[in-house]
Amino acid sequence: MPRLTSLRLTAALAIFAAVPLTPAAVAAPSAALKKPAAAQFAAVLTASTGKPMVHGTYTNGCIAGASQLAADSPHWQVLKPSRNRAWGHPALVRMVEDVARQVAADGHRGVLVGDLAQARGGPMPYGHNSHQTGLDADIWLTPLPERRLTPDELESFAPPSMVDLEAVTVTPAFGAAQIAMLARAARHPDVERIFVSPPIKQALCEQAGDGDRAWLRKVRPWRGHTSHMHVRIACPADSDACKDQDPVPEGDGCGPELASWLADPSWRTPGKRPYVPEKGLKLNAMPAACRKLVK
Ligand SMILES: [Zn+2]
């Protein structure tokens, strides 16, 4: 009997020896959950394997099985490729490719692509609150230049603003190419809405003509977005855990709603609460499936 007890004690001690119970080791899992999730998502450089699946909302979510948009193609180039934010749901990648090809077919060569999402989506240490589910893409309003941009230029090129914030109008740089690009993106069947600066929406309302104006409904005025359009696709049908936002209101959005943006241009000043990642989304506030993606 004493021998048995001794054996049990030895076995128990062996188990403890294999798991070092330092305070740091005990505290690690819960501490990680309370840290901002942005750094953890930014540190993962590749997509997870398996079926593409979106979890959560545009501002609190992630994506498994993301695809990567090619950095360089005849019809597009990705700006700031070092950010490693050209990942998205395959439907988003396809949409960007489709729009780029259509813009080229319209005679404007193609598009310069901004951020999509990180390899597993999630919050970013800088730049965006949304873009978390691989369903958002920024496309610059300056079309693809005639000359291919070099790797250095891709990192440094800053497309110009198309909005005169003092006059609350578009600049002379905004013209047929920009209207064609916005119309192509808005007519894409997967696109749910597009955010642009209010004067850009106004210019579209004035210049879209009397023909098909249905696409104008998807183009929504928002602060910022003076040099790029933010193109958002809807939740993929097979992503049950993806949460859509409310549908865009009926109509072309050229009436009272736009008028209210133009009458109170407080959106011209930078946001009062810029995104501060240190105070941003914590991992334990994210969907459980998202937490698993950065473990
Ligand atoms: Zn955006």
Side-chain angles (χ1 to χ4, degrees):
M1 195 66 180
R3 181 178 153 76
L4 194 59
T5 307
S6 164
L7 273 175
R8 278 185 182 157
L9 188 63
T10 308
L13 284 172
I15 289 165
F16 278 112
V19 183
L21 285 176
T22 62
V26 172
S30 67
L33 286 172
K34 285 176 187 162
K35 274 199 274 180
Q40 295 171 77
F41 274 93
V44 186
L45 304 182
T46 55
S48 65
T49 53
K51 192 171 181 291
M53 199 57 71
V54 173
H55 302 277
T57 68
Y58 298 100
T59 53
N60 181 356
C62 61
I63 176 169
S67 294
Q68 190 176 25
L69 178 72
D72 210 312
S73 118
H75 303 311
W76 69 85
Q77 285 189 286
V78 174
L79 290 190
K80 297 193 170 35
S82 64
R83 291 186 180 198
N84 191 35
R85 292 178 178 175
W87 300 85
H89 191 277
L92 183 78
V93 171
R94 230 172 7 247
M95 181 278 292
V96 173
E97 294 170 352
D98 290 347
V99 170
R101 277 191 284 267
Q102 290 165 349
V103 168
D106 288 341
H108 305 297
R109 293 177 299 284
V111 300
L112 291 169
V113 183
D115 288 351
L116 277 62
Q118 298 173 132
R120 299 182 186 196
M124 301 180 183
Y126 60 93
H128 313 273
N129 282 322
S130 64
H131 288 254
Q132 294 195 22
T133 46
L135 304 176
D136 293 297
D138 287 343
I139 297 178
W140 295 97
L141 291 167
T142 299
L144 191 67
E146 285 178 30
R147 180 176 66 74
R148 304 301 288 177
L149 296 178
T150 65
D152 281 350
E153 288 169 334
L154 289 175
E155 293 297 333
S156 63
F157 182 55
S161 169
M162 302 266 166
V163 174
D164 181 336
L165 289 173
E166 282 299 308
V168 198
T169 60
V170 290
T171 68
F174 186 91
Q178 286 66 41
I179 295 171
M181 292 167 77
L182 281 153
R184 284 296 194 181
R187 286 187 174 121
H188 194 285
D190 290 346
V191 170
E192 197 266 340
R193 72 186 71 204
I194 298 172
F195 297 109
V196 294
S197 178
I200 292 177
K201 171 76 185 194
Q202 183 184 33
L204 294 177
C205 289
E206 290 170 357
Q207 298 176 43
D210 297 330
D212 168 26
R213 292 175 66 87
W215 61 274
L216 286 169
R217 179 182 173 196
K218 291 188 192 172
V219 185
R220 315 293 304 159
W222 200 246
R223 62 168 59 243
H225 303 87
T226 56
S227 52
H228 74 273
M229 56 169 139
H230 174 133
V231 188
R232 174 168 288 174
I233 67 170
C235 280
D238 61 355
S239 280
D240 293 339
C242 177
K243 293 196 185 73
D244 268 317
Q245 64 188 117
D246 291 339
V248 290
E250 294 290 337
D252 62 13
C254 294
E257 191 202 351
L258 176 61
S260 73
W261 282 88
L262 298 173
D264 175 19
S266 54
W267 44 267
R268 293 182 300 183
T269 46
K272 290 188 187 97
R273 293 192 303 121
Y275 180 50
V276 183
E278 286 75 21
K279 293 177 183 165
L281 196 56
K282 306 284 196 295
L283 207 54
N284 61 3
M286 296 191 70
C290 296
R291 288 180 232 155
K292 288 194 190 121
L293 278 182
V294 289
K295 254 187 179 172

